[in-house]
Amino acid sequence: MEITTRSLWTLIHGMGFGALYLLASSGAIVALYRRYSFNAPSQSEPSSDRFLGIYLSIMAALAWLTVLTGTYIIYPWYRATPPKGTVNLGAFPHSLLLSHPATSQWHLIGMEWKEHVAWLVPIAITAAAFIAIKYARDLRNHPQLRSALLGFTAISLFAAGIAGFFGAMLDKNAPVEGGQTIQLVKGELP
Amino acid sequence: MSEQINTISEDSSGLPNGSGAAAILSAGIGSFAVAIFAIAADKYALVKNLFVFYKPTGALSGETTVAILLWLAAWAILDWRWRKRTVSLRRINAVALGLLGLSLLLTFPPIGDLF
């Protein structure tokens, strides 16, 4: 059982930071809604207010790690230009996708959208985390700030969902492969 | 004016809402900048070349770096101006969420390519 270093980084980026962000943000939306809905109890523990700030800060860290690994580690491998005369484009996902009409739109729409929309996520969730930490218990007195907190978290989930969906589909159609091979488990013939 | 008074009474508490408003509006500005820079780099070769801060990543490196710097600068300036004030958050929320929504749409290539 083996994995290449590029595949490992793709896993860390998508299945690690990205998927964890999606799980965390859906949880955050439910928690925020329950916490600040009209039927919620009027008082909460101070530790619970602190927890919300810490939780959103961890989400912000995950979002930054996702976009930074995606943009500066994986994207250069994805968009590398093949040397002239290269027949096997397997190591050049961008060129591989564009080489066939059936796959070109995965790049022209999928990657082009993903590479930009993903950057909205850390911006939105960092603002949300700042509000949760700064106002903490006082958020109960600021209905408009609560609305913004929920709205920003929801939009960040939507943007992350778009990036995650296209990331998964791009990886199915033209995976980023190559680099050193890491042997995870030594195999035996059955 | 009446909206401003309503908002102030709605959001009245120990902490003024100015810092939160600054974070909200600047996030909208930063997001919108990502979308605008992406469209500009796609449309103009000169802009695209100017945004190549890190060659392996291409123009995406400059588009996002400049947008992040703009976002942080807007945040710092707005926070400095509003931190001790209670502002009309209803309008600021609408503008910021509108900018975020527009950014989602404008980064979608078939829409971004219309410009």
Side-chain angles (χ1 to χ4, degrees), chain A residues 14-15 18 24-25 36 46 49 52 65 82 102 120 150 156 186:
Chain A
M15 296 294 292
S25 58
Y36 298 122
D49 296 309
L52 179 67
L65 286 168
L120 309 186
L150 190 59
S156 85
K186 198 167 183 177

Side-chain angles (χ1 to χ4, degrees), chain A residues 64 71-72 75-76 79 108 112-113 115-117 119-120 123 127 130-131 134-135 138 141-145 148 152, chain B residues 10-11 13 15-17 19-20 24 27 38 54-58 61 63-64 68 71 75 93 97 104 107-109:
Chain A
W64 283 108
T71 303
Y72 290 102
Y75 188 54
R79 70 188 291 272
L108 296 171
E112 293 280 341
W113 199 10
E115 71 189 41
H116 293 108
V117 82
W119 278 89
L120 309 186
I123 295 175
F130 171 81
I131 290 166
K134 170 96 182 172
Y135 291 89
D138 213 30
N141 302 314
H142 292 282
Q144 294 292 329
L145 281 180
F152 273 37
Chain B
E10 217 174 65
D11 268 9
S13 69
L15 269 179
N17 66 13
S19 278
I24 290 164
Y54 177 62
K55 211 171 175 187
T57 295
S61 57
E63 293 162 18
T64 51
I68 295 298
W71 163 51
W75 192 350
N93 272 356
L97 289 170
L104 278 170
T107 51
F108 183 54

Side-chain angles (χ1 to χ4, degrees), chain B residues 32-105:
Chain B
F32 193 61
V34 171
I36 293 299
F37 292 156
I39 291 171
D42 196 41
K43 194 166 172 62
Y44 304 106
L46 175 68
V47 177
K48 188 173 193 162
N49 290 334
L50 285 174
F51 275 139
V52 180
F53 289 5
Y54 177 62
K55 211 171 175 187
T57 295
L60 182 64
S61 57
E63 293 162 18
T64 51
T65 302
V66 177
I68 295 298
L69 290 175
L70 191 71
W71 163 51
L72 294 176
W75 192 350
I77 292 166
L78 290 171
D79 190 72
W80 172 62
R81 287 182 62 100
W82 288 351
R83 73 174 60 162
K84 290 178 183 162
R85 290 172 54 189
T86 293
V87 297
S88 172
L89 255 179
R90 198 180 296 271
R91 194 174 303 160
I92 287 167
N93 272 356
V95 171
L97 289 170
L99 286 172
L100 265 172
L102 261 180
S103 311
L104 278 170
L105 289 175

